[in-house]
Amino acid sequence: MPEEAPSPETPRPGPDLDLRLVRYFTVVAEHLNFARAAAELHVAQPSLSRQIQRLEDALGVRLLERTPQGSRLTAAGAAFLPRAQTLLHTAHQAVLTARAAAPPRTVTIGYVEDLVITPAVRDLRRRHPDAHVRTRHLDWDEARALPEGRVDALVIRTPLPVPDDGLDVTVLYDEPRVLLVPASHRLSGQESVTPGDFTDEPLVACAGMAATWTGFWRLDPRPDGSPAPLGPLLVDTFEDKLEAVADGRAIALVPAGDRRWALRTDLAAIPVEGVEPCQVVVATRLTDPNPLVTHFRESARQHLVRTT
């Protein structure tokens, strides 16, 4: 017997909304200017435009129109804005409610990309066997999880991709930067290089990151004050960066301790002299009263040390 068709009155499920995109839209709607909104959100303006486009694609409507004087809400955008603000407020309250209901001996430790925190977490659990110690892996563009309260401590490299106002940052160790090139590159095999050896070659830029963060990893400006040449593309993930370098479209600076490139035979890394290192740090919120946060910082300082 054929399956009965759903009733016309049955509501269709709506699109799955990315709350980050919704937040981006509300900030743009507040300023009606993409440049000012991008500055407040600490993201690149082209990336912000792409994120708004993603939200519009998910909703199936146009939310904003660009004009010579700036931007303006469409009728759909004006209707969506108050609901979007309510949605963000409700989501924030849900987070606070869940955290308030959590056991008092709970801490969530975030770590970014390739960084390993196991020794410090193991030590914290040994010292506090009754505590609920959770870990959360984050991509390079998810550092807002700390100020937004989704993690209580964050092990990450500097420069931080979010403002450090209200954060307590403890340096664990310095980490040099290395130049990542195709295995066939003219510099491949060198014992070391200086910025002058690759001054005219573009370095891969990462989409959606703060200008300070992007400038650090693109070495812009160069040590002599000259601007770095613009690269041919933006990438969204570390894997995309590796692919762009291997394809010969650009080169890249990466942390010396990040060995994910070594899984590929078509890439080579060369130590760079004359540039400041990045730093691996543990960041926490200044006003966090949770004693486990302080204890994790102690464990991190003791156990998260540079091994190369």
Side-chain angles (χ1 to χ4, degrees):
M1 187 173 179
E3 230 178 75
E4 185 178 344
S7 166
E9 289 77 19
T10 302
R12 292 184 176 183
D16 293 329
L17 291 181
D18 184 331
L19 290 181
R20 183 180 62 164
L21 303 185
V22 175
R23 177 172 172 269
Y24 284 2
F25 164 72
T26 61
V27 175
V28 175
E30 176 186 347
H31 291 281
L32 292 179
N33 182 287
F34 273 79
R36 289 197 294 270
E40 178 177 329
L41 292 165
H42 301 281
V43 299
Q45 186 174 339
S47 175
L48 178 58
S49 296
R50 289 194 297 272
Q51 304 309 321
I52 296 299
Q53 180 64 57
R54 284 180 54 195
L55 178 62
E56 291 177 328
D57 290 345
L59 295 173
V61 296
R62 189 76 176 271
L63 300 173
L64 291 153
E65 291 181 351
R66 295 205 180 205
T67 71
Q69 292 74 37
S71 301
R72 66 185 180 191
L73 292 169
T74 63
F80 180 62
L81 178 58
R83 297 298 184 94
Q85 293 167 330
T86 300
L87 178 63
L88 293 174
H89 176 73
T90 301
H92 180 65
Q93 292 300 314
V95 170
L96 296 180
T97 300
R99 290 179 66 84
R105 301 281 292 170
T106 296
V107 66
T108 302
I109 312 298
Y111 60 106
V112 176
E113 291 291 326
D114 66 300
L115 293 172
V116 176
I117 61 172
T118 307
V121 170
R122 183 186 297 125
D123 181 65
L124 184 65
R125 286 175 173 151
R126 179 189 60 80
R127 294 165 61 194
H128 300 279
D130 58 333
H132 186 192
V133 181
R134 299 173 296 193
T135 61
R136 180 171 181 177
H137 180 261
L138 301 170
D139 292 331
W140 60 11
D141 59 349
E142 294 182 296
R144 281 193 168 276
L146 177 60
E148 291 177 356
R150 288 178 281 130
V151 299
D152 303 303
L154 184 64
V155 179
I156 189 173
R157 292 183 175 94
T158 62
L160 298 183
V162 294
D164 59 5
D165 298 345
L167 299 183
D168 184 359
V169 179
T170 300
V171 176
L172 301 178
Y173 57 87
D174 290 348
E175 184 176 16
R177 289 181 280 176
V178 297
L179 185 69
L180 196 62
V181 299
S184 59
H185 193 273
R186 60 183 177 83
L187 296 175
S188 179
Q190 297 290 316
E191 290 188 5
S192 64
V193 294
T194 67
D197 294 321
F198 54 89
T199 187
D200 295 327
E201 298 192 52
L203 278 81
V204 178
C206 305
M209 303 305 291
T212 301
W213 194 94
T214 301
F216 183 84
W217 291 107
R218 288 189 61 242
L219 205 58
D220 186 18
R222 297 293 160 86
D224 62 2
S226 61
L230 293 175
L233 76 167
L234 295 172
V235 297
D236 293 311
T237 68
F238 188 84
E239 289 69 27
D240 290 337
K241 177 182 285 191
L242 298 185
E243 185 63 30
V245 173
D247 196 37
R249 290 179 288 170
I251 57 179
L253 284 176
V254 297
D258 189 339
R259 300 284 298 173
R260 286 176 289 177
W261 65 268
L263 298 174
R264 303 182 56 143
T265 60
D266 52 0
L267 295 171
I270 314 158
V272 182
E273 299 179 355
V275 298
E276 64 177 307
C278 61
Q279 294 179 316
V280 175
V281 304
V282 55
T284 59
R285 293 183 297 276
L286 279 173
T287 57
D288 196 326
N290 189 342
L292 290 174
V293 170
T294 300
H295 296 160
F296 174 75
R297 189 185 302 111
E298 296 167 356
S299 295
R301 293 176 68 175
Q302 182 177 356
H303 293 278
L304 300 186
V305 297
R306 188 180 172 204
T307 57
T308 57

